[in-house]
Amino acid sequence: MFLAKVKGNIVSTHKNNFLKGHKLLLTHPIDLNGKLEGNKDIISLDLTDAGIGDIVLVVQEGDAVQQIIGHNKAPVNTMIIAIVDDIEIDE
């Protein structure tokens, strides 16, 4: 799992039948201070109703995604599993 910031929406009128009705978002990994890490955006399936600017928790592992959506028919291995309200670190 990793933290990411939602950067945008992915709009697709034609997609895999098992993705119909599901929102796809453009996410970018961040560090614990909210700074973007690397230069790679990631398309993530969203079942949490996240939006642009939200900090989210992302899982990038096919078996975990299959367990959450309840089948293995959708071609997905990256999913937003939580919207992060706050990060508290005790140093």
Side-chain angles (χ1 to χ4, degrees), residues 32-80:
L32 292 175
N33 296 313
K35 294 182 183 173
L36 299 178
E37 290 189 327
N39 58 4
K40 195 175 191 180
D41 293 329
I42 300 168
I43 298 173
S44 303
L45 183 69
D46 176 42
L47 301 179
T48 64
D49 204 25
I52 295 173
D54 283 343
I55 303 299
V56 294
L57 187 59
V58 176
V59 65
Q60 193 171 38
E61 201 274 318
D63 287 340
V65 171
Q66 290 174 10
Q67 289 177 19
I68 293 167
I69 61 176
H71 60 79
N72 64 356
K73 296 177 174 94
V76 177
N77 76 337
T78 307
M79 175 184 279
I80 296 169

Side-chain angles (χ1 to χ4, degrees), residues 73-90:
K73 296 177 174 94
V76 177
N77 76 337
T78 307
M79 175 184 279
I80 296 169
I81 58 169
I83 299 172
V84 177
D85 295 319
D86 189 33
I87 299 172
E88 186 176 323
I89 301 171
D90 186 24

Side-chain angles (χ1 to χ4, degrees), residues 2-53:
F2 60 92
L3 291 170
K5 184 169 189 169
V6 178
K7 293 179 65 181
N9 293 301
I10 303 292
V11 178
S12 174
T13 54
H14 298 283
K15 57 185 163 185
N16 180 281
N17 284 336
F18 294 101
L19 294 177
K20 288 183 180 175
H22 294 302
K23 186 165 61 168
L24 298 171
L25 295 176
L26 191 63
T27 59
H28 195 103
I30 60 170
D31 64 17
L32 292 175
N33 296 313
K35 294 182 183 173
L36 299 178
E37 290 189 327
N39 58 4
K40 195 175 191 180
D41 293 329
I42 300 168
I43 298 173
S44 303
L45 183 69
D46 176 42
L47 301 179
T48 64
D49 204 25
I52 295 173

